[in-house]
Amino acid sequence: MRRRLLLLTAATTALVLTALLVPLTLLTRSHAADRATAEATARAQWVAHAIGPALASAGERPTAEQTVAGVNGDGLPRTSLVLGDGTVVGPGHRSGGGAVTDAVRLARTGRAFTYEPAGGGRQVLVPVHGAADGTAVVQVTLTERQLYAGTLTSWLVLAGIGVGLVLLGLLLADRLGARLVGATRGLARTADRLAAGDLTARAVPDGPPELRLVAGELNRLAGRIDELLRAERENARENAADLAHRLRTPVAALRLDAESLRDPREARRIAEDVAALERSVDDVIRRARLPLRGASRADLAAVARERAAFWLPLAEDQGRTFLVDAVGLGHPRHQTHPRPGLCPPVPPCGTIAHSGERHRPPSRAQPGRPHRSAAARPVPVLPDEPEEIPVPVPPDELSAALDALIGNVLDHTPHGTAFRIAVGRDGAGHARLTVADDGPGFPDGYPETAARGASGGGSTGLGLDIARRTAEDAGGTFTIASGPTRVTLTFPLAGTPSGPPAPSG
C-alpha cells in the first residue's frame, strides 16, 4: 500500500509538473528572445542617432566608422552600417551590391523593423536619414546563441524546482502512507491477538477517520465477545455446580453398594469403576470452573523436572533406571547412566536435572522391597542455564498429564523396567513431551482404544485419556507407539498459533 501510494503520488506530480513546466520553458525562451531583440533595437537606434549628423557631410565619414567600431566587441551583437552607395561599415560584410538586400532596401524607405533571416538568428534594421549620399541603414545582427542567452539556465532552475516538488510530494506521501500502513497493521495485530484468544487486546484509534472508526468498532466487537464468553462461562459454572450436586449422591450410593458386596474381587472391581466415574465427573466439573482467562502457560521443561524429582524415589524403590532429557535445544546432552536396552533416543533436546523439593509419592513398591542407597542412585547433571519451553497449558493440567503417564509406567510394567522422559522442540516449532519405557508394550489394539478412554491390563485408561485431552485441548497431538513403548504429546509453543503438527511415529 505504501509503495502504491508513492508511485501514484510520483506519477500525479510528474504529470502536473509536465503540464506546468513545458509551457513555462517555452515562455522563458520567448522572453529571452524578446529581451535580446529589445536590446538590439535600442543599440541600433542609438547608433543611428549618433552617426546621423556625421553622415550629413562627406568629411565626417571617419567619425561614423569610429562610432560603429566602438559598439562592436566580443560577445556583443554585430553592428554594421550600410551607406547609400552600398558601402558597408562594420565587421563581416562585403562592399558592393551584394550587401544591399531586400531588407536593406525596405529600410531605406524609412521603416525600422526586425526580421529573421534564413540562416537563423535575428536582425534589427534602423534607417539613418540626412546622409549626403542617400539614406543609410544601421543593421544589428543577433546569433541564435545571443538571441536565447540565459534560456538553459532558466530551464535548469525550472527542472530543479520540479524535482524538488516531486521529492517534497513523495516525502509527504511517504509520511501519509506510513501513518496509514501503521494504523492498518495495528488493527491487523489486534485482530490476530483476538483470533488467538487474547480478549484483552484492544486497537489504538489512529490514522484517518475511517481507520479510527474501524478501530472503535473492533474494540466494541472484542468487548461484546468478552461479555458473551463471560456470561457463557458463568452459565457453565452454574450448570457444573448443579451437576456436581446431582451426581455426588448417586456416586456415593454406588460406592456404598460396592463396599457392601460379599465378593471382595467383585467389590474391588466395582469400586475402581466408581472411582473412575468420580474422577471423570470431577474432571468435567473442574474444566467447567476454569476461569475465562488465566495463566494458561507453563514451562514444559520445568514441569518435567519437577515431576521427575517427585517420582524419582519410587522409581528407585522399584529398581528402575530413570533418564530425563528436558532442557530444550542448545545444551549438551547429559545422561544418568541408563542401563543397556533403554528406549531409543527421541529428538535431541539436551538434558535437564531434577529440580525442586523431592516429595515421595504414595509408595507403589512391593512390600519388603529394599530401598536403594543414596550412593546407588543415578545422579542427573544440572546444566547451567536450562532453556524455557513455554506451552499454552496450565501448570496443574500439565503436571496431571505427566503424572498419569509416569504412573502408567510404574503400575503396568515389571519392576526394574527402565523408562525415560524427554522434552524438546521439533523442527516444526512445536514442543514435544515423550515418555518411553522398555516394558512389554500395550495389548493388541490398545493404541486405538486408548484414544476413547479404554485400556487393557485391568486399567480404565483414564490416565492416558487425561494426557490425550490435555494435548488436544491445547491444539497439539497425542500418539502411542510400541516396540519400544513410547507415548508422545506435542504442544504448540505459547504465543504461536495452535496448529497440530504432523504426528511422529
Side-chain angles (χ1 to χ4, degrees):
M1 177 180 178
R2 191 171 179 179
R3 175 182 290 182
R4 292 181 180 179
L5 185 60
L6 290 176
L7 292 176
L8 178 62
T9 302
T12 305
T13 307
L15 290 176
V16 172
L17 290 177
T18 300
L20 177 65
L21 294 181
V22 168
L24 194 58
T25 55
L26 297 178
L27 181 62
T28 57
R29 177 183 173 90
S30 175
H31 177 71
D34 291 343
R35 184 182 65 249
T37 302
E39 292 177 355
T41 301
R43 179 184 294 271
Q45 290 175 350
W46 181 84
V47 171
H49 179 73
I51 65 175
L55 294 179
S57 62
E60 297 293 332
R61 182 172 178 178
T63 303
E65 294 177 353
Q66 292 178 358
T67 302
V68 172
V71 297
N72 284 293
D74 294 337
L76 296 177
R78 188 174 55 197
T79 303
S80 58
L81 176 64
V82 182
L83 299 177
D85 58 0
T87 303
V88 178
V89 178
H93 287 282
R94 61 185 182 276
S95 301
V100 181
T101 61
D102 293 339
V104 173
R105 295 188 185 94
L106 181 61
R108 283 177 177 176
T109 62
R111 296 177 59 184
F113 60 91
T114 300
Y115 87 105
E116 296 180 358
R122 188 170 294 182
Q123 288 184 349
V124 178
L125 291 90
V126 176
V128 181
H129 300 283
D133 54 357
T135 302
V137 177
V138 177
Q139 182 176 272
V140 179
T141 303
L142 295 168
T143 63
E144 288 285 337
R145 184 174 181 179
Q146 293 170 342
L147 186 62
Y148 299 112
T151 302
L152 180 60
T153 302
S154 301
W155 287 358
L156 292 177
V157 171
L158 292 176
I161 294 175
V163 171
L165 290 176
V166 171
L167 293 179
L168 179 61
L170 290 178
L171 178 61
L172 295 177
D174 181 70
R175 293 299 89 202
L176 177 61
R179 186 181 180 190
L180 290 175
V181 171
T184 305
R185 288 178 177 173
L187 291 176
R189 286 193 297 268
T190 302
D192 289 341
R193 290 175 58 190
L194 291 173
D198 182 8
L199 298 182
T200 62
R202 293 295 184 271
V204 178
D206 193 13
E210 293 79 5
L211 290 182
R212 290 199 296 268
L213 178 61
V214 173
E217 294 301 321
L218 182 61
N219 291 338
R220 286 183 55 194
L221 177 62
R224 182 57 178 164
I225 293 175
D226 193 10
E227 293 175 0
L228 293 176
L229 289 179
R230 286 182 180 277
E232 185 66 23
R233 178 63 67 182
E234 291 299 327
N235 186 35
R237 288 178 181 177
E238 295 175 0
N239 292 337
D242 182 67
L243 178 64
H245 179 72
R246 291 173 179 269
L247 292 181
R248 293 296 185 188
T249 301
V251 170
L254 286 176
R255 184 183 297 108
L256 293 176
D257 290 343
E259 293 174 356
S260 65
L261 293 176
R262 295 182 179 180
D263 187 350
R265 295 179 57 186
E266 189 69 15
R268 184 168 56 253
R269 183 184 65 80
I270 296 178
E272 290 177 355
D273 292 342
V274 172
L277 174 61
E278 188 173 17
R279 287 195 298 271
S280 298
V281 172
D282 290 341
D283 183 65
V284 171
I285 296 174
R286 180 182 59 82
R287 287 179 176 274
R289 289 177 175 175
L290 286 177
L292 184 62
R293 295 187 214 94
S296 59
R297 175 190 175 106
D299 181 3
L300 184 58
V303 172
R305 290 195 300 268
E306 178 187 356
R307 303 322 297 166
F310 179 80
W311 288 101
L312 180 60
L314 181 56
E316 294 170 351
D317 289 343
Q318 295 184 359
R320 301 176 185 270
T321 300
F322 191 6
L323 179 63
V324 180
D325 289 338
V327 287
L329 299 173
H331 296 278
R333 177 181 293 276
H334 301 281
Q335 295 189 352
T336 59
H337 309 292
R339 64 178 187 143
L342 187 65
C343 55
V346 293
C349 55
T351 302
I352 144 177
H354 308 304
S355 65
E357 298 183 7
R358 292 186 176 181
H359 303 284
R360 181 175 298 273
S363 177
R364 306 189 188 198
Q366 294 179 351
R369 186 175 185 88
H371 295 277
R372 288 189 180 184
S373 64
R377 293 182 180 178
V379 180
V381 181
L382 177 65
D384 294 336
E385 295 181 359
E387 180 183 354
E388 180 182 2
I389 305 181
V391 295
V393 182
D396 56 342
E397 292 190 18
L398 195 58
S399 299
L402 188 54
D403 286 344
L405 296 179
I406 297 176
N408 278 347
V409 174
L410 298 178
D411 285 342
H412 301 291
T413 60
H415 286 201
T417 301
F419 69 101
R420 173 181 187 163
I421 300 176
V423 175
R425 306 187 189 194
D426 58 15
H430 293 82
R432 189 180 298 275
L433 169 65
T434 300
V435 178
D437 64 74
D438 282 344
F442 294 102
D444 293 339
Y446 179 60
E448 290 77 15
T449 59
R452 298 188 297 270
S455 177
S459 171
T460 63
L462 182 62
L464 290 180
D465 191 57
I466 291 175
R468 176 186 61 81
R469 285 187 281 109
T470 300
E472 293 179 353
D473 289 348
T477 61
F478 171 85
T479 57
I480 297 177
S482 297
T485 306
R486 186 165 65 251
V487 179
T488 302
L489 280 66
T490 60
F491 303 93
L493 295 175
T496 60
S498 58
S504 64

